Amino acid sequence: NAAKALFEKTQNISWAKEWYSATKKSADMTVNTEPRHSAHSYRFAGNAANALSKATRNKSWTNNAIECYQKFLSYYKQNPDPSMDMLIIRIEGNVNFLQRFA
């Protein structure tokens, strides 16, 4: 969370990279033990990669964002939760938008 806050305050991409790295590691480490936590960590990693994609115009960050968002969506397709419907729609919109540039 600190790396995200520092990126948002400074727009320094090194903080966005730290934000991505920390949330992606959390997602990867908990995928089998805490799948819901993992899904949300993938969403946060997707947000970081999306910010990096916008800041750098680097397609690899675009692809990283898509991959992370798809892992989040995959969890909720297998574990529907009506309280997440609006967020899921927003993430699907992000994926559709990003796929145009991948």
Side-chain angles (χ1 to χ4, degrees):
N1 290 338
K4 177 186 178 198
L6 285 165
F7 169 69
E8 289 173 344
K9 184 172 179 93
T10 66
Q11 294 301 301
N12 183 324
I13 63 169
S14 65
W15 287 117
K17 290 177 182 177
E18 291 295 325
W19 170 27
Y20 173 79
S21 178
T23 54
K24 178 79 164 56
K25 284 178 188 173
S26 178
D28 290 341
M29 289 173 38
T30 59
V31 71
N32 293 320
T33 57
E34 296 180 59
R36 185 171 185 265
H37 170 83
S38 179
H40 285 277
S41 293
Y42 280 122
R43 175 173 58 102
F44 300 142
N47 292 344
N50 192 5
L52 281 159
S53 174
K54 290 175 185 175
T56 66
R57 306 273 188 225
N58 184 323
K59 288 187 179 187
S60 67
W61 286 117
T62 305
N63 291 327
N64 288 342
I66 292 167
E67 178 185 342
C68 289
Y69 285 149
Q70 287 176 334
K71 288 181 180 184
F72 167 81
L73 293 170
S74 175
Y75 173 80
Y76 278 102
K77 285 180 183 171
Q78 296 173 21
N79 303 280
D81 180 349
S83 69
M84 299 298 290
D85 286 351
M86 293 305 295
L87 177 60
I88 290 166
I89 290 169
R90 191 170 75 225
I91 297 298
E92 288 172 336
N94 285 348
V95 169
N96 290 334
F97 179 80
L98 289 167
Q99 285 176 332
R100 292 185 218 162
F101 303 102

